[in-house]
Each structure stands twice: as structure tokens, then as C-alpha cells.
């Protein structure tokens, strides 16, 4: 009689469970932070960036509601508009001295760059954003009644943040364009090196 050895089939589910146990996937997903956990929200709002993002959600949500209620309920639209303006000014108060973070980043990023052009772009981007926040806060202090300024000075302060914002965006675009050019040059260099090595031994044998 001929013997046949039947292969033992292992269910795929069991293999997946063992793989999860070996690689720690189950434990990793068990510890992953979710939006339903209260700790995730408390961790986010305990930072300046987290509070700024929460105020940003309130700001633009109220602006959408003001637009939505403009034709149906003008009184409700005015209330939503007031909330939008107050949250907008509240975000400016949260960002007090936030420009110092950008100045600190300059001391970390600039020495690591190799060319003066890259250093100039980083300085323009970070300094432009820091200047935007700084002069924007001066306007906020005037609207809050803390620093009274003339109409001419106020108009000048309003133009400076827009100019700094444009400088920051232009520098960021140029940095992205420079990164693409460097990547293309690196791809070309690697391709030339591979062509210089020639075909591998036995690759052309049939």
C-alpha cells in the first residue's frame, strides 16, 4: 500500500496571529493613540501649537457658520461673525513670542547647509515668517487698546506682515525648486555610475 503524507494546513488566521505576536503588531496597535482617548486631547492642548490648532478650528468653523446663516438668519450670522473675530484675535495672543522658535531654528538649520544660496533661502523663509507674526501682533496690540497708534502707523504695520508673508512663501517655493533640482541631479549621477559599471557578469549570456 502506498503511503501518502498529508500536509498539515495551518489556517491563515493562526499564521497572522503568530506574526502579530512575534513582531509586536498587536501590542503596537493596542498602544496607538486614538481621537477617542481623552489623553490624546489633553496632550494636544497642553502645547502652544495644539491650542493654536484648536482655535483655528473654532475660527474657521464660525466663519463658515456666519456665511451659512447670512441669508437665513442675519442675527445668528452676526453672532458667528463676532465669534470668528474674537477667535482670530485670540490666536494672535497665543502666538506671542512664537517668532523666537523660528530664530532658534536658524541656528540649527543654517550651519548644516553647504551653499550660501541655501542658507539665504532658509534665512529669508524663517525671518519672513517671524516678521509676519511680530508685526501682526503689533496690530493686534493696537486693536486691543494696549498700544495706541496713528492711522498712518497702523496702515504701515498692516502692510509689513503681508510683505513678510510673501517673502516667506517665495523662499519656500525656491527651496522646493532647489530640492527638486538636487534630486534630479542625484538621480542622473546614480544613473551614470550604473552605466559606467556596465552589465553584470552573465547578464548577456543566453
Amino acid at each position: 500500500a502506498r503511503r501518502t503524507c498529508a500536509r498539515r494546513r495551518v489556517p491563515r488566521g493562526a499564521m497572522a496571529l503568530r506574526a502579530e505576536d512575534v513582531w509586536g503588531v498587536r501590542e503596537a496597535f493596542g498602544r496607538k493613540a486614538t481621537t477617542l482617548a481623552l489623553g490624546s486631547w489633553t496632550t494636544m492642548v497642553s502645547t502652544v501649537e495644539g491650542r493654536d490648532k484648536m482655535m483655528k478650528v473654532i475660527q474657521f468653523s464660525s466663519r463658515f457658520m456666519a456665511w451659512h446663516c447670512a441669508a437665513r438668519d442675519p442675527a445668528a450670522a452676526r453672532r458667528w461673525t463676532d465669534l470668528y473675530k474674537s477667535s482670530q484675535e485670540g490666536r494672535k495672543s497665543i502666538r506671542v513670542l512664537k517668532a523666537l522658535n523660528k530664530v532658534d531654528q536658524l541656528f540649527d538649520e543654517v550651519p548644516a547647509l553647504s551653499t550660501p544660496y541655501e542658507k539665504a533661502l532658509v534665512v529669508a523663509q524663517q525671518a519672513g515668517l517671524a516678521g509676519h507674526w511680530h508685526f501682526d501682533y503689533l496690530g493686534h496690540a493696537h486693536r486691543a487698546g494696549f498700544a495706541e497708534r496713528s492711522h498712518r502707523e497702523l496702515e504701515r504695520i498692516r502692510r509689513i506682515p503681508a510683505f513678510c508673508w510673501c517673502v516667506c512663501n517665495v523662499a519656500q517655493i525656491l527651496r522646493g525648486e532647489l530640492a527638486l533640482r538636487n534630486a534630479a541631479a542625484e538621480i542622473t549621477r546614480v544613473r551614470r555610475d550604473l552605466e559606467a559599471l556596465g552589465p553584470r557578469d552573465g547578464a548577456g549570456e543566453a
Side-chain angles (χ1 to χ4, degrees), residues 32-143:
K32 185 178 180 180
T34 62
T35 56
L36 301 178
L38 183 61
S40 302
W41 293 95
T42 55
T43 302
M44 183 183 66
V45 299
S46 62
T47 61
V48 177
E49 290 290 340
R51 290 192 294 270
D52 183 59
K53 298 307 179 184
M54 289 296 297
M55 291 295 296
K56 188 175 184 179
V57 172
I58 296 174
Q59 175 187 350
F60 288 101
S61 297
S62 58
R63 188 175 188 180
F64 170 77
M65 292 302 299
W67 169 81
H68 180 71
C69 300
R72 304 179 181 181
D73 192 350
R78 284 193 299 270
R79 291 194 297 270
W80 284 111
T81 302
D82 293 339
L83 178 60
Y84 164 72
K85 293 181 179 180
S86 62
S87 59
Q88 184 182 30
E89 296 298 327
R91 288 188 63 200
K92 299 181 188 301
S93 299
I94 293 175
R95 292 198 300 259
V96 174
L97 300 180
K98 189 178 178 181
L100 295 178
N101 295 337
K102 298 303 176 181
V103 177
D104 184 60
Q105 289 180 8
L106 288 177
F107 294 99
D108 296 334
E109 294 183 10
V110 172
L113 300 176
S114 57
T115 63
Y117 180 65
E118 292 178 341
K119 296 180 180 180
L121 290 180
V122 172
V123 171
Q125 180 183 359
Q126 303 294 0
L129 186 56
H132 168 74
W133 285 338
H134 174 70
F135 289 102
D136 192 32
Y137 183 72
L138 293 180
H140 167 66
H142 172 80
R143 290 187 294 270

Side-chain angles (χ1 to χ4, degrees), residues 108-205:
D108 296 334
E109 294 183 10
V110 172
L113 300 176
S114 57
T115 63
Y117 180 65
E118 292 178 341
K119 296 180 180 180
L121 290 180
V122 172
V123 171
Q125 180 183 359
Q126 303 294 0
L129 186 56
H132 168 74
W133 285 338
H134 174 70
F135 289 102
D136 192 32
Y137 183 72
L138 293 180
H140 167 66
H142 172 80
R143 290 187 294 270
F146 178 75
E148 294 294 337
R149 300 182 181 274
S150 63
H151 179 73
R152 184 177 180 181
E153 292 178 346
L154 186 60
E155 288 297 325
R156 184 182 303 172
I157 290 175
R158 287 177 179 175
R159 288 194 297 267
I160 294 177
F163 172 76
C164 294
W165 184 254
C166 292
V167 171
C168 175
N169 288 335
V170 170
Q172 185 176 5
I173 292 173
L174 292 178
R175 287 188 66 187
E177 188 265 343
L178 180 62
L180 291 177
R181 284 194 300 172
N182 292 337
E186 184 66 19
I187 292 174
T188 303
R189 186 188 64 82
V190 172
R191 184 180 300 171
R192 290 176 179 176
D193 293 343
L194 293 177
E195 291 176 354
L197 292 176
R200 292 181 299 177
D201 296 338
E205 296 180 0

